[in-house]
Amino acid sequence: MVVNNKVDSLSYDVEAPPQGAAAAAAAAPPAPPAPARHHAPAAPVTMREGAAVLELHKVSLPERRSTARALRQRLAEVFFPDDPLHQFKNQSSARRLVLALQYFFPIFQWGSAYSPRLLRSDLVAGLTIASLAIPQAHSSFVPPLIYSLLGSSRDLAVGPVSIASLVMGSMLREAVSPDEEPILYLQLAFTSTFFAGVFQASLGFLRLGFIVDFLSKATLTGFMGGAAIIVSLQQLKGLLGIVHFTSHMGFVDVMRSVFKRHDEWEWQTITMGTAFLAILLLTRQISARNPKLFWISAGAPLTSVIISTILSFIWKSHSISVIGILPRGVNPPSANMLTFSGSYVALTIKTGIMTGILSLTEGIAVGRTFASINNYQVDGNKEMMAIGIMNMAGSCASCYVTTGSFSRSAVNYSAGCKTAVSNIVMAAAVLVTLLFLMPLFHYTPNVILSAIIITAVVGLIDVRGAAKLWKVDKLDFLACMAAFLGVLLVSVQMGLAIAVGISLFKILLQVTRPNMVVKGLVPGTQSYRSVVQYREAVRVPSFLIVGVESAIYFANSMYLVERVMRFLRDEEERALKSNQSSIRCVVLDMSAVAAIDTSGLDALSELKKVLEKRNIELVLANPVGSVAERMFNSAVGELFGSERLFFSVAEAVAAGACKAQP
Amino acid sequence: MVVNNKVDSLSYDVEAPPQGAAAAAAAAPPAPPAPARHHAPAAPVTMREGAAVLELHKVSLPERRSTARALRQRLAEVFFPDDPLHQFKNQSSARRLVLALQYFFPIFQWGSAYSPRLLRSDLVAGLTIASLAIPQAHSSFVPPLIYSLLGSSRDLAVGPVSIASLVMGSMLREAVSPDEEPILYLQLAFTSTFFAGVFQASLGFLRLGFIVDFLSKATLTGFMGGAAIIVSLQQLKGLLGIVHFTSHMGFVDVMRSVFKRHDEWEWQTITMGTAFLAILLLTRQISARNPKLFWISAGAPLTSVIISTILSFIWKSHSISVIGILPRGVNPPSANMLTFSGSYVALTIKTGIMTGILSLTEGIAVGRTFASINNYQVDGNKEMMAIGIMNMAGSCASCYVTTGSFSRSAVNYSAGCKTAVSNIVMAAAVLVTLLFLMPLFHYTPNVILSAIIITAVVGLIDVRGAAKLWKVDKLDFLACMAAFLGVLLVSVQMGLAIAVGISLFKILLQVTRPNMVVKGLVPGTQSYRSVVQYREAVRVPSFLIVGVESAIYFANSMYLVERVMRFLRDEEERALKSNQSSIRCVVLDMSAVAAIDTSGLDALSELKKVLEKRNIELVLANPVGSVAERMFNSAVGELFGSERLFFSVAEAVAAGACKAQP
């Protein structure tokens, strides 16, 4: 039997010392000094209590680290959670060079193993996504080529996405009308794209990729739904053939404009648009019901364009507006259109950051989704750099903001793509179209493009997803609806800001009002669990065991003290009613307290003082490494001392029971 | 032996089913349907594995609550964590009325038991704090009277505090100079005070008191230090006798102004000021060393004022500037000076909110500190209403923002106050001074007031507190220094904003990058603990046990998946090196996961899919009530099923071991 200081203090502290333990402690040889804290773990302490043997285990501390080392590890965890340098360990320098090259240009990694068999798959997939890309031709040429060099996802299909395009349009239109000043509008759009790229690449370079994690899925669901409706409403211009349309994006403005201009409604256009819209929505439904028929909805847009163009060419009706003359040829360089001075710099930077973060969020999420399906990893920060560089290059070649698009990547994946070569194939197909096929689109009616866009964006309205949120998490649903209504009724930026605010508020609320539970012993085990969750759990008489299920911070330290006092009051009332002995000991189960700050430490010592005044002992069970470390670095560690720190609730109860009961 | 669905699935899932278990399952009668989830807990499931008997406990769910009830409980926890209505339970309506009266006017509570013995203590304490209060006479008359009616703290001494006064001065001076437009300045000051009161009272009324919890102690330490230096620098005007002083508050501006105006330095003033400053600082030191001599530093300011006034009266030197004619008489009404229209409304509202929240923070913190020392409770939200109403009343009686002052309350406490009557005594003493003694202060040199203010504020510079922060928590220290330097070099508001930002960022960082640990069995126990903290803990072969020490949110769900995969990679490398069997089963210990949102649920199912592809099983151990509830409300619960949810890590390992080893 090992007896050390701990047992001594345990026996001497007791008001009515238990005969057995006191005798044992007295009979034992003088206790050796307790082993130094940061060395090998102490052997368990055994206490003989009558016939029962109680074995106490010491709370250990993690190995002592220097401040610099602790800081380095913490920073590494924040900025390099994926440990990208792991593969460079224990390699020759030549090998490291190859690995570095492969790291920055993943094409060298998979390129060496590329085979005709893979090419066949990628060819089919590339042509399939090209058919989706042709309406936004320019932006689907340069960026996919760059991405195929730098990107680490095999399934991502690159192109402009509706959210980012919408936000860019909405933000720029507030300052400049694309109809009145088309050149200036283009300049601002390309400059914003450039800033978006710079912002994205710097986020990746600075390893701040975790910022996109703050856009929760709930937020995005609401945001996309609102954005989809806003975009659809804009298409009413084309679908109804209205000439004088509002330049505002809000729901109210657009609806007012639509009904004020009902004299401009064009019935031929409406008939044609509605018919094609119905067909497109039908093909979507068919593909959704039977995923094997994905090619029906994939091919429908291009087919609609061709058929409607032929119809319009035959009719030559003047009441249906057509695209007209399109610039033929490959992307014109637009580096000269980037403007970094003048009164619009702030606007373009703001627009760039906004669209940059939105397109990143979609791109990274899509890349991760398909990577997890196919069981490979994408490096978020590296992807950001790839997307950023792709947008910087794109802004110099007449491209708007591009990213990995969810719908296109899904088509790419289901068409059987194997590598980023499918992006190259798509770019080549777009190139051919740009060079030779553009005149064919002269008679394409604008109403068809509106129908295609509506079909594409209504898919973003995820009613089922919102219903799931309502079922599972009401606050998530609130964030979702706030984003939805904010985008629809106020503005795109405001909607996003409100939703992010609610998401952050939710986190802070959870931190401010952490879960705290009263625990009891589950019969047949040594485990203490919440008496609310496990109704069979039994409270230990004269003990109050409180589990704290959150880090203890300045934001909740006051609440913690108040909540424990309230539990104490309730438990004492309960004990009084059922004639049980009153509470003698409060055990804080710290298992779930991942961290503690200085205010938290102060709260613990305050709680101890307050309880002491009422002759109630406060002990802590199972503090985790960082918390134990911090306690011993402050005066609180001494206040509690090792005799009030226990390995587990069970041991705390066992040791505490020794003291309270003679 | 009880056999139910759970055992069935456990035995049938196995690739190479263990002979014993399979036989037992096959021989058993058809399994009865599993008991409904929300009813009485199931009897533990016993599995016979050869000779060993393995007892499995079911994960329970808390009682099912309706959405409305869950929401009500959640809101109650957020807004009424102190359960203020508890005392009204089971009382007659007459008694309730009395209790309500006592609740809103605590003076009825303690007033009925007031005795001459208490009055003697309060009289001494009240006169002591009055001696501190006379320099800011007007603001120390009406507010303390109101507080003594409404406040629930017995020790709080009410008056203007330096932080709030400083911020108000700094914010108003940016728009209006008090020297050039004194009336307008006063109007704005009183209006700001009124708004501060409205803001404080509404926070309390809306039970949003937890907002002040977001100003952490670290932030306040830095903020007060910076504010103290700023205030001291302002006193250089009086201390050096400079006439043309800058109206800016920043460190750089003030120092530039001081040295540019060195021709205005007044040597008589400087000598007198330095001498009294030295004496005042010395008395502070004496009282700090020996708390029983508190009256030396408490009495020093008034004594200095008296002595210096006499000296100045005798010398009648024109080079030392004196206070001059002071308005005699009780507070003039100032309700007519409140201006709610015009161009300054936004400024006064902003200033009101800022000073309101700052003075609240100090008042509440001081109230709670002394309440915990004397073992009674103050109700934060009610205190806010009391402080708010006191400021609204004060603004109509020529008072600036007032609150519970830390230094004065400390003096009040050490002078032996028992109830809020000490505030009434102070107000009475101030009244006498205002009515009859004001002319005595005609010859008081301004330099003495500067010396008193410097002495008061240097006590706010808490170097030891900052050093403690550095030792215990580097990020807290960073927040502290940011607040300090922000206030000193940029502006008061900016310093506060930066510090609050860092504090919030710290919380979010902890949420984004939660602690995750690999766990092993601590020898001699059934407990699994971090192998980094407990170096004696032993990994279980072919198991990876990961403890997640945070709620799982959208902000960390991606990180969670990546971190588990990285642990897996490391553990597999380790197993390869030491020739152990590779990982077959990942156990996520969910004990410390206090909450989960929809993104977190998705992350769990994604992790399960990814691991399944690698033929690794994912099981969850000990989910807490709300998490288990949410899992079963979503598709994730079905995905895991009850056979992959375990009561504890120990049982998960035991059951998993059955499956992996034939």
Side-chain angles (χ1 to χ4, degrees):
Chain A
M1 192 178 102
V2 182
V3 176
N4 70 3
N5 290 350
K6 190 161 178 180
V7 173
D8 275 8
S9 63
L10 268 172
S11 359
Y12 292 149
D13 270 6
V14 183
E15 285 146 82
Q19 286 303 323
R37 253 177 221 136
H38 288 286
H39 287 97
V45 180
T46 317
M47 266 181 82
R48 193 173 299 275
E49 164 77 12
V53 173
L54 172 62
E55 210 176 65
L56 290 181
H57 299 82
K58 246 186 136 57
V59 172
S60 293
L61 288 181
E63 213 170 334
R64 187 184 276 283
R65 300 171 299 177
S66 66
T67 302
R69 181 138 178 265
L71 196 68
R72 205 166 59 233
Q73 289 183 348
R74 182 101 184 97
L75 289 179
E77 206 53 59
V78 172
F79 293 109
F80 299 91
D82 47 350
D83 195 9
L85 300 178
H86 177 260
Q87 51 172 329
F88 294 105
K89 264 183 208 153
N90 312 321
Q91 301 287 353
S92 69
S93 38
R95 179 82 192 120
R96 278 187 193 176
L97 189 73
V98 173
L99 283 175
L101 205 65
Q102 290 184 344
Y103 178 76
F104 287 110
F105 299 97
I107 196 170
F108 289 114
Q109 205 172 347
W110 51 263
S112 56
Y114 203 71
S115 67
R117 200 178 52 78
L118 292 176
L119 178 63
R120 207 176 48 216
S121 304
D122 285 334
L123 204 62
V124 174
L127 288 175
T128 310
I129 51 176
S131 74
L132 294 179
I134 286 170
Q136 310 123 332
H138 279 150
S139 296
S140 298
F141 174 47
V142 173
L145 288 179
I146 310 259
Y147 184 82
S148 64
L149 287 178
L150 298 173
S152 58
S153 167
R154 299 175 204 155
D155 303 279
L156 214 62
V158 166
V161 291
S162 39
I163 291 192
S165 313
L166 165 74
V167 172
M168 180 175 285
S170 143
M171 292 181 74
L172 295 184
R173 258 159 223 256
E174 274 170 24
V176 175
S177 156
D179 300 323
E180 289 163 22
E181 298 173 281
I183 300 294
L184 179 60
Y185 187 82
L186 274 185
Q187 281 179 344
L188 297 187
F190 295 146
T191 312
S192 302
T193 303
F194 180 80
F195 280 124
V198 170
F199 176 67
Q200 292 168 331
S202 354
L203 275 190
F205 186 73
L206 298 173
R207 318 252 351 146
L208 293 173
F210 61 85
I211 286 180
V212 299
D213 289 343
F214 281 108
L215 284 173
S216 71
K217 210 179 144 186
T219 309
L220 284 178
T221 303
F223 181 79
M224 287 208 201
I229 293 183
I230 289 275
V231 172
S232 301
L233 289 178
Q234 286 291 312
Q235 305 314 317
L236 289 178
K237 181 188 180 195
L239 210 59
L240 302 177
I242 296 172
V243 181
H244 300 94
F245 201 68
T246 175
S247 68
H248 293 283
M249 309 282 290
F251 180 78
V252 180
D253 287 323
V254 170
M255 290 321 279
R256 193 183 292 145
S257 169
V258 162
F259 286 103
K260 220 172 92 187
R261 300 284 179 194
H262 67 267
D263 50 318
E264 292 184 8
W265 291 15
E266 231 304 316
W267 295 109
Q268 270 186 298
T269 309
I270 294 175
T271 315
M272 189 173 195
T274 318
F276 274 96
L277 185 59
I279 293 169
L280 285 166
L281 289 173
L282 188 71
T283 59
R284 255 194 104 82
Q285 277 299 314
I286 293 172
S287 297
R289 294 252 168 106
N290 188 346
K292 277 190 190 155
L293 301 178
F294 73 90
W295 53 267
I296 294 187
S297 68
L302 192 62
T303 318
S304 305
V305 167
I306 294 171
I307 294 176
S308 66
T309 308
I310 294 171
L311 288 180
S312 148
F313 179 75
I314 295 169
W315 281 342
K316 291 221 170 66
S317 156
H318 285 287
S319 52
I320 295 179
S321 82
V322 295
I323 292 182
I325 296 161
L326 272 178
R328 182 168 156 174
V330 77
N331 292 17
S334 61
N336 58 329
M337 293 180 80
L338 302 182
T339 44
F340 301 118
S341 57
S343 53
Y344 291 113
V345 177
L347 175 70
T348 50
I349 290 179
K350 217 170 72 180
T351 311
I353 290 179
M354 204 77 176
T355 53
I357 202 155
L358 280 173
S359 57
L360 259 194
T361 312
E362 178 161 359
I364 302 289
V366 171
R368 277 176 173 165
T369 306
F370 287 101
S372 82
I373 292 178
N374 291 334
N375 199 17
Y376 64 91
Q377 294 268 327
V378 293
D379 176 341
N381 287 300
K382 220 174 69 189
E383 278 292 283
M384 289 187 187
M385 282 198 270
I387 293 176
I389 293 172
M390 158 178 116
N391 276 322
M392 283 155 73
S395 70
C396 303
S398 303
C399 301
Y400 294 142
V401 171
T402 51
T403 184
S405 137
F406 182 72
S407 50
R408 276 199 227 184
S409 302
V411 171
N412 196 21
Y413 169 73
S414 37
C417 71
K418 297 290 177 226
T419 66
V421 168
S422 61
N423 273 310
I424 301 180
V425 171
M426 173 179 74
V430 168
L431 180 66
V432 170
T433 312
L434 284 171
L435 288 180
F436 309 110
L437 308 180
M438 283 322 249
L440 296 182
F441 294 106
H442 181 275
Y443 282 97
T444 305
N446 281 321
V447 64
I448 291 305
L449 299 183
S450 294
I452 291 176
I453 294 174
I454 292 180
T455 316
V457 298
V458 290
L460 298 176
I461 305 175
D462 186 5
V463 178
R464 211 173 291 169
K468 190 182 135 201
L469 289 178
W470 169 257
K471 204 174 141 205
V472 179
D473 191 335
K474 304 291 182 281
L475 260 177
D476 268 5
F477 180 76
L478 183 68
C480 170
M481 288 315 291
F484 177 75
L485 294 176
V487 168
L488 203 57
L489 301 178
V490 190
S491 77
V492 170
Q493 301 101 291
M494 190 48 86
L496 203 61
I498 294 173
V500 170
I502 291 180
S503 297
L504 292 188
F505 177 73
K506 198 186 140 194
I507 291 185
L508 294 178
L509 194 64
Q510 195 83 39
V511 172
T512 321
R513 294 284 181 265
N515 265 7
M516 290 177 66
V517 292
V518 173
K519 293 191 167 188
L521 183 65
V522 177
T525 71
Q526 281 289 302
S527 303
Y528 289 79
R529 295 280 191 275
S530 157
V531 292
V532 175
Q533 187 184 358
Y534 291 86
R535 266 143 293 155
E536 69 267 35
V538 184
R539 289 174 169 82
V540 187
S542 82
F543 275 86
L544 170 61
I545 302 163
V546 176
V548 184
E549 296 183 345
S550 156
I552 305 179
Y553 284 126
F554 63 90
N556 61 25
S557 56
M558 279 296 173
Y559 173 76
L560 175 95
V561 176
E562 281 178 359
R563 194 72 186 82
V564 169
M565 297 313 286
R566 213 171 98 213
F567 275 138
L568 190 62
R569 191 191 65 197
D570 293 347
E571 290 299 310
E572 290 197 326
E573 278 176 8
R574 188 196 172 78
L576 205 66
K577 258 186 213 158
S578 56
N579 261 331
Q580 284 182 333
S581 55
S582 67
I583 304 293
R584 301 286 307 273
C585 182
V586 173
V587 182
L588 274 196
D589 183 358
M590 307 274 285
S591 317
V593 178
I596 196 165
D597 72 353
T598 40
S599 307
L601 290 170
D602 290 344
L604 284 185
S605 39
E606 197 197 307
L607 185 61
K608 185 164 179 300
K609 265 183 233 154
V610 173
L611 289 176
E612 237 162 36
K613 288 239 168 96
R614 298 171 63 168
N615 265 326
I616 296 172
E617 184 88 32
L618 175 68
V619 303
L620 308 180
N622 189 21
V624 304
S626 57
V627 173
E629 205 173 29
R630 212 158 256 189
M631 284 186 65
F632 281 110
N633 280 344
S634 71
V636 180
E638 284 156 39
L639 187 67
F640 279 89
S642 57
E643 73 272 18
R644 284 194 195 82
L645 276 186
F646 289 93
F647 175 76
S648 64
V649 174
E651 293 193 0
V653 170
C658 295
K659 301 174 68 181
Q661 293 160 0
Chain B
M1 192 177 100
V2 181
V3 176
N4 71 3
N5 291 349
K6 190 162 179 182
V7 174
D8 276 5
S9 62
L10 268 172
S11 359
Y12 292 148
D13 269 6
V14 184
E15 285 149 82
Q19 285 302 321
R37 253 175 222 137
H38 289 285
H39 286 99
V45 180
T46 317
M47 267 180 81
R48 191 174 299 275
E49 165 77 11
V53 173
L54 170 62
E55 210 176 67
L56 290 183
H57 298 82
K58 248 184 134 58
V59 173
S60 292
L61 289 182
E63 213 169 332
R64 186 183 279 284
R65 300 171 297 179
S66 66
T67 301
R69 181 137 181 265
L71 196 69
R72 203 166 59 233
Q73 289 184 348
R74 182 103 187 94
L75 289 178
E77 206 53 60
V78 171
F79 294 109
F80 301 91
D82 47 351
D83 195 10
L85 300 178
H86 177 262
Q87 51 172 328
F88 295 104
K89 263 182 209 154
N90 311 322
Q91 303 286 353
S92 70
S93 36
R95 179 85 192 119
R96 278 188 194 176
L97 189 73
V98 173
L99 283 174
L101 206 65
Q102 290 185 343
Y103 178 77
F104 288 109
F105 299 96
I107 196 168
F108 290 113
Q109 205 171 349
W110 52 264
S112 56
Y114 204 71
S115 67
R117 199 177 52 79
L118 292 176
L119 178 63
R120 206 175 48 214
S121 305
D122 285 334
L123 204 62
V124 174
L127 288 175
T128 310
I129 51 176
S131 74
L132 294 178
I134 286 170
Q136 311 122 333
H138 278 150
S139 297
S140 298
F141 173 47
V142 173
L145 287 179
I146 309 261
Y147 184 81
S148 64
L149 287 179
L150 298 172
S152 57
S153 168
R154 300 176 203 153
D155 304 279
L156 214 62
V158 166
V161 291
S162 38
I163 291 192
S165 313
L166 165 74
V167 172
M168 181 176 284
S170 142
M171 290 181 75
L172 294 184
R173 258 160 223 256
E174 273 168 26
V176 174
S177 156
D179 299 324
E180 289 163 22
E181 298 173 280
I183 300 294
L184 179 60
Y185 186 82
L186 274 184
Q187 282 179 344
L188 296 188
F190 294 145
T191 312
S192 301
T193 302
F194 180 79
F195 280 125
V198 170
F199 176 68
Q200 292 167 331
S202 357
L203 275 191
F205 185 73
L206 298 173
R207 317 254 347 149
L208 293 173
F210 61 84
I211 285 180
V212 300
D213 289 343
F214 281 108
L215 284 173
S216 71
K217 208 179 147 188
T219 309
L220 283 178
T221 303
F223 181 80
M224 287 209 200
I229 292 183
I230 290 275
V231 173
S232 300
L233 289 178
Q234 288 290 314
Q235 306 313 320
L236 287 178
K237 181 186 180 195
L239 210 60
L240 302 176
I242 297 174
V243 181
H244 300 94
F245 201 68
T246 176
S247 68
H248 292 282
M249 310 281 289
F251 180 78
V252 179
D253 286 324
V254 171
M255 289 320 280
R256 194 182 291 144
S257 168
V258 163
F259 287 103
K260 222 173 91 188
R261 300 284 178 195
H262 68 265
D263 51 318
E264 292 184 7
W265 291 16
E266 233 304 314
W267 296 110
Q268 270 185 297
T269 309
I270 294 176
T271 315
M272 188 173 195
T274 319
F276 273 96
L277 186 60
I279 293 169
L280 285 167
L281 288 173
L282 188 71
T283 58
R284 254 194 103 82
Q285 276 299 314
I286 292 171
S287 297
R289 294 254 168 104
N290 190 345
K292 276 188 191 158
L293 301 177
F294 75 89
W295 52 270
I296 294 189
S297 69
L302 192 62
T303 320
S304 306
V305 166
I306 295 170
I307 295 176
S308 66
T309 307
I310 295 171
L311 288 180
S312 149
F313 179 75
I314 296 168
W315 281 341
K316 291 217 172 66
S317 154
H318 285 288
S319 51
I320 294 179
S321 81
V322 295
I323 292 183
I325 295 162
L326 272 178
R328 181 169 159 175
V330 78
N331 292 14
S334 61
N336 57 329
M337 293 180 81
L338 302 182
T339 44
F340 302 118
S341 57
S343 54
Y344 293 112
V345 175
L347 175 71
T348 48
I349 290 180
K350 218 171 70 181
T351 310
I353 290 179
M354 203 79 176
T355 52
I357 200 156
L358 280 173
S359 56
L360 259 195
T361 312
E362 179 161 358
I364 302 290
V366 171
R368 276 178 175 165
T369 306
F370 286 101
S372 83
I373 292 177
N374 291 334
N375 199 17
Y376 64 90
Q377 296 268 325
V378 293
D379 175 342
N381 288 301
K382 220 175 68 190
E383 278 292 283
M384 288 185 186
M385 281 196 270
I387 293 178
I389 292 171
M390 156 179 120
N391 277 320
M392 283 156 73
S395 71
C396 303
S398 303
C399 302
Y400 294 143
V401 171
T402 50
T403 185
S405 138
F406 182 72
S407 49
R408 276 198 228 184
S409 303
V411 171
N412 196 21
Y413 170 73
S414 38
C417 71
K418 296 288 176 228
T419 67
V421 168
S422 61
N423 274 310
I424 301 180
V425 172
M426 172 178 77
V430 167
L431 179 66
V432 171
T433 312
L434 284 171
L435 287 181
F436 308 111
L437 308 178
M438 283 323 249
L440 297 182
F441 295 105
H442 182 277
Y443 283 98
T444 305
N446 282 320
V447 64
I448 290 305
L449 298 183
S450 294
I452 291 176
I453 293 175
I454 292 180
T455 317
V457 297
V458 291
L460 298 177
I461 306 177
D462 185 5
V463 178
R464 211 173 291 170
K468 190 182 136 201
L469 289 178
W470 168 256
K471 204 173 139 205
V472 179
D473 191 333
K474 305 291 180 284
L475 261 177
D476 268 4
F477 181 76
L478 183 69
C480 170
M481 289 315 290
F484 178 75
L485 294 175
V487 169
L488 203 57
L489 302 178
V490 191
S491 77
V492 171
Q493 302 100 292
M494 190 48 86
L496 202 62
I498 294 172
V500 170
I502 291 180
S503 296
L504 291 188
F505 177 74
K506 198 186 139 195
I507 291 184
L508 294 179
L509 194 64
Q510 196 84 36
V511 172
T512 322
R513 295 283 183 265
N515 264 7
M516 292 177 63
V517 293
V518 173
K519 293 192 165 186
L521 183 66
V522 177
T525 71
Q526 282 288 301
S527 302
Y528 289 78
R529 293 281 191 275
S530 158
V531 293
V532 176
Q533 187 184 358
Y534 291 85
R535 266 143 293 154
E536 68 268 35
V538 184
R539 287 175 171 82
V540 186
S542 82
F543 275 86
L544 169 61
I545 301 162
V546 176
V548 184
E549 295 182 347
S550 155
I552 305 180
Y553 283 127
F554 62 90
N556 60 26
S557 57
M558 281 294 173
Y559 173 77
L560 175 94
V561 176
E562 281 179 358
R563 194 71 187 84
V564 169
M565 297 312 286
R566 213 171 98 211
F567 275 138
L568 190 64
R569 191 191 65 196
D570 293 348
E571 290 299 310
E572 290 199 324
E573 278 176 8
R574 187 194 172 80
L576 205 66
K577 259 186 209 156
S578 57
N579 261 330
Q580 284 181 332
S581 55
S582 65
I583 304 294
R584 299 287 307 275
C585 183
V586 174
V587 182
L588 274 196
D589 183 358
M590 308 274 285
S591 318
V593 178
I596 195 163
D597 71 353
T598 41
S599 306
L601 290 170
D602 290 343
L604 284 186
S605 39
E606 198 197 306
L607 185 61
K608 185 162 179 299
K609 268 183 230 153
V610 173
L611 289 176
E612 237 162 36
K613 288 241 167 99
R614 296 170 65 167
N615 266 324
I616 297 172
E617 185 88 31
L618 175 68
V619 303
L620 308 180
N622 189 21
V624 304
S626 58
V627 173
E629 205 173 28
R630 215 158 253 192
M631 285 185 65
F632 282 110
N633 279 343
S634 70
V636 180
E638 286 156 37
L639 187 67
F640 279 88
S642 58
E643 72 271 17
R644 286 194 192 81
L645 277 186
F646 289 93
F647 175 77
S648 65
V649 173
E651 291 193 2
V653 169
C658 294
K659 302 175 67 182
Q661 292 159 5

